[in-house]
Amino acid sequence: MSTREIVDAKPVAPQLSITTRLRVEGEDAEALWELYRAAMGPLDQVAAMIHLESRELMMQRFADPRITKVVGWDGVEPIGLGLITNDFSAVDDISADFFVNAYPEHAERDAIFYGMAVLVKPTQRGMTMFSRIYIEMWQIPARVGGVLIFDTCKFNRDNFGADDIIAHIASNFPNSSWSVIDQQTWYAAELPEPLR
């Protein structure tokens, strides 16, 4: 049997790829919404902050050219997504002033980027797609000598080794560093009886 016959006889898995887009609409946006819902929905049960945004808001973000979409593909199926922007008007619930004050030189150059989300299809977790999307997202600010700001919940830090992943990815970028710049701590006071 020739090499060509062997190759023709054995099915080949679809090619994994990454694309970077400013707008995603139509069928691709619908597929990304389903991916987003499947990946982020369960976090609302284990994290205090809401992770699953509304369909309407996500469709707006998919179409918003201020937000770069890094999409991971398995053939024609989207299996991963990263959202990143350097336009803080596209992001809710963060303080642009905090970041401008912390990184004034980067702010002057519009080189502060916010990683809004990174997610991968649940059946693809533990594979390479998360790292591939994450690295491509980091490349965006690295190309302009920028800084990347992002957050993660305690669940992801504890259960997926987020700090180790961040350290590993940062180690690939020459002269890079990373640190925790802020934390939000949630408290619970159980009060079975009132003061007397």
Side-chain angles (χ1 to χ4, degrees):
M1 184 178 267
S2 73
T3 302
R4 180 70 182 165
E5 290 170 324
I6 293 170
V7 170
D8 288 343
K10 183 172 171 54
V12 178
Q15 181 73 26
L16 294 179
S17 62
I18 303 283
T19 60
T20 303
R21 298 182 179 180
L22 295 180
R23 291 182 192 270
V24 178
E25 297 174 304
E27 290 179 11
D28 287 344
E30 291 294 337
L32 285 176
W33 163 249
E34 291 301 324
L35 169 65
Y36 171 82
R37 193 169 58 86
M40 298 300 261
L43 284 175
D44 284 348
Q45 297 173 16
V46 296
M49 300 219 23
I50 292 173
H51 282 73
L52 183 63
E53 300 286 356
S54 71
R55 181 184 182 284
E56 178 183 8
L57 177 61
M58 290 311 296
M59 288 299 177
Q60 290 171 359
R61 287 185 174 159
F62 295 154
D64 189 339
R66 299 173 299 171
I67 301 169
T68 301
K69 293 79 173 165
V70 179
V71 183
W73 301 89
D74 186 352
V76 297
E77 176 191 6
I79 60 168
L81 173 66
L83 302 173
I84 184 171
T85 186
N86 65 342
D87 186 334
F88 288 110
S89 68
V91 183
D92 299 325
D93 301 329
I94 63 168
S95 171
D97 290 343
F98 175 86
F99 300 115
V100 168
N101 186 56
Y103 303 98
E105 185 270 328
H106 293 87
E108 286 180 24
R109 299 184 292 110
D110 288 327
I112 302 173
F113 291 79
Y114 183 68
M116 300 169 70
V118 182
L119 56 107
V120 175
K121 183 177 178 179
T123 58
Q124 292 288 322
R125 290 187 185 140
M127 308 297 199
T128 63
M129 187 53 71
F130 181 89
S131 292
R132 293 174 70 181
I133 290 171
Y134 217 36
I135 287 171
E136 185 58 33
M137 287 178 68
W138 286 45
Q139 279 285 81
I140 293 169
R143 288 181 185 118
V144 295
V147 61
L148 174 61
I149 307 297
F150 52 96
D151 63 89
T152 190
C153 63
K154 183 179 184 313
F155 178 82
N156 284 343
R157 287 185 83 184
D158 292 348
N159 293 288
F160 296 110
D163 290 13
D164 292 337
I165 292 169
I166 293 162
H168 176 72
I169 291 177
S171 72
N172 291 290
F173 288 82
N175 301 309
S176 69
S177 64
W178 71 277
S179 62
V180 174
I181 60 170
D182 193 17
Q183 289 185 335
Q184 186 76 19
T185 302
W186 294 78
Y187 295 92
E190 294 187 30
L191 306 167
E193 297 181 32
L195 293 173
R196 296 180 193 253

